[in-house]
């Protein structure tokens, strides 16, 4: 038995090593921008197997972070945490072997960039301080983290991680108010930026969403079980039918008496991240009370309407770049009256059990992930639909693959505007110099990647796809940030800390 577990551990770390090698190999050609984390919180009025129950919604949020995951739950009078590098199915499945009853628990999946994928940054974080024993998990990015951290350093704080989550705990413990909830509100008011938080304090589950509402957070209830989660797909897997969004600037408290809501701050504006709808969230989810799939279909339809003014443009088929372009491609095809076809097949296991290619074998990496269906593409004028364009390197390879399959024409369509600015609120967007739309116009991009044309969804047309367009943040498209960003940070593009 012991030897079997040792073998599992060795295989896990070999798998993580090879995944890291793949990430290093493809990071500079990756067309997708990274997102930061997903959170889950559970409170049951009856004793239940919390670690097992929390596994399933956390598994549903795996797309929000693949580098580490963890859970924390109340075991008697003690907060127990288990976390490690790797996927939910690998790290937490060992918790399914035996029953561990509790009433309260939280979970986290993490994505990281700068600072690397380090175990000490895995969440939830559990700490004992003058406010009690606390477990905390966080999705987002604190804009003023560097200033706050320097202040805490000067006061003698010692940090074990590079995450914003630990920073929040330090601020809370150093707050002059002795009572936990009296200290929590002024602590939150010191934070600028994006944060959706789940927390355990004593026998209370707490959910918090920042005043501008950058990141989504939902509260659901089924019988005696209360669930907090980043997306509704995590509620669906538990068959939770009754749910609502946690409002911007709202603090939720769940205990044996039920749910209580406290507005801790109010803002005159709401700045929900529009990229949650464009790319990050699962298509079967609701975020910001909007169906993700339907929103993406509207974006695809708006793209098709833009193309009506093009002369000599009569494509034969619409093909999504799976999986992120599928919903938008459906909307495009329906609006344009053109057949929707699956011309690219995706290998969902790419990046796991094989020898990693060298950094010069970029095309092989893409071929391992996506493969053309020649019978669909041969002799056709193809509209390729994806959600966004970052550096353009993968798109160049994809266009080449589609042409090799016999496509007569290849037209790339993106269901978002041109990415021109970095994000400081929980998204990993490269520096401005790395973003291809800051270097080339769409016609030049088309020539560079070998496409017959490239078109982006115009910002005003993106607005038309949203029922309340003024409630979203578009800073990565137009540079209009809801907070003042200094020039050095704008140039470097990377925030100092992250969840």
């Amino acid at each position: 038995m012991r030897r079997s577990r040792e073998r599992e551990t060795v295989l896990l770390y070999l798998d993580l090593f090879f995944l890291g090698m793949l990430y290093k190999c493809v990071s500079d050609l990756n067309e997708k921008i990274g997102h930061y984390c997903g959170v889950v919180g559970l409170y049951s009025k009856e004793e239940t197997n919390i670690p097992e129950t929390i596994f399933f919604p956390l598994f549903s949020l795996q797309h929000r972070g693949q580098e580490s995951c963890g859970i924390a739950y109340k075991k008697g009078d003690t907060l127990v945490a288990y976390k490690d590098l790797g996927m939910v199915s690998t790290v937490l499945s060992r918790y399914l072997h035996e029953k561990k009853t509790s009433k309260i628990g939280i979970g986290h999946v993490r994505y990281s960039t700068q600072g690397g994928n380090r175990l000490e940054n895995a969440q939830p974080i559990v700490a004992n301080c003058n406010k009690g024993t606390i477990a905390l998990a966080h999705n987002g990015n604190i804009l003023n983290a560097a200033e706050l951290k320097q202040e805490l350093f000067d006061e003698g704080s010692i940090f074990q991680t590079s995450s914003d989550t630990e920073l929040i705990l330090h601020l809370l413990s150093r707050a002059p108010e002795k009572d936990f909830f009296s200290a929590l509100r002024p602590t939150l008011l010191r934070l600028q930026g994006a944060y959706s938080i789940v927390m355990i304090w004593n026998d209370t589950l707490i959910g918090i969403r920042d005043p501008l509402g950058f990141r989504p957070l939902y509260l659901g209830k089924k019988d005696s079980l209360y669930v907090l989660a980043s997306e509704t797909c995590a509620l669906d897997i538990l068959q939770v039918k009754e749910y609502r969004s946690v409002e911007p600037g709202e603090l939720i408290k769940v205990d044996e008496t039920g749910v209580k809501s406290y507005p801790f701050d109010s803002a005159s504006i709401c700045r929900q991240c529009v990229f949650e709808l464009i790319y990050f969230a699962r298509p079967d989810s609701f975020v910001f009370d909007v169906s993700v799939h339907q929103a993406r279909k509207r974006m695809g339809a708006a793209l098709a309407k833009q193309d009506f003014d093009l002369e000599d443009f009569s494509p034969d088929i619409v093909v999504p770049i799976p999986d992120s372009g599928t919903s938008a491609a459906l909307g495009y095809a329906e609006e344009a009256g053109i057949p929707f076809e699956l011309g690219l097949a995706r290998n969902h296991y790419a990046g796991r059990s094989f020898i990693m290619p060298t950094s010069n074998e970029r095309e092989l990496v893409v071929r391992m992930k996506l493969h053309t269906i020649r019978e669909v593409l041969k002799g056709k004028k193809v509209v390729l639909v994806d959600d966004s364009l970052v550096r353009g390197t993968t798109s160049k390879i994809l266009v080449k693959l589609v042409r090799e399959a016999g496509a007569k024409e290849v037209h790339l369509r993106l269901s978002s505007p041109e990415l021109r600015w970095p994000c400081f609120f929980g998204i990993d967007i490269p520096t401005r110099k790395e973003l291809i739309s800051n270097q080339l116009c769409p016609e030049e991009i088309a020539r560079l990647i070998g496409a017959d044309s490239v078109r982006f969804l115009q910002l005003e047309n993106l607005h038309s796809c949203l029922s309340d367009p003024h409630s979203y943040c578009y800073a990565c498209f137009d540079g209009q940030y809801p907070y003042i960003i200094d020039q050095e940070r704008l140039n470097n593009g990377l925030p100092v800390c992250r969840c």
Side-chain angles (χ1 to χ4, degrees), residues 261-286:
S261 170
Y262 304 90
F264 69 89
D265 194 11
S266 61
S268 59
I269 58 172
C270 183
R271 287 296 179 262
Q272 300 166 144
C273 175
V274 74
F275 243 101
E276 292 279 357
L277 293 174
I278 293 170
Y279 168 59
F280 294 152
R282 263 178 44 170
D284 54 327
S285 280
F286 275 72

Side-chain angles (χ1 to χ4, degrees), residues 77-79 125-135 169 173:
D77 294 328
T78 306
L79 270 176
I125 294 178
V126 176
N128 291 306
C129 68
N130 57 359
K131 303 299 187 298
T133 303
I134 302 165
L169 287 170
S173 69

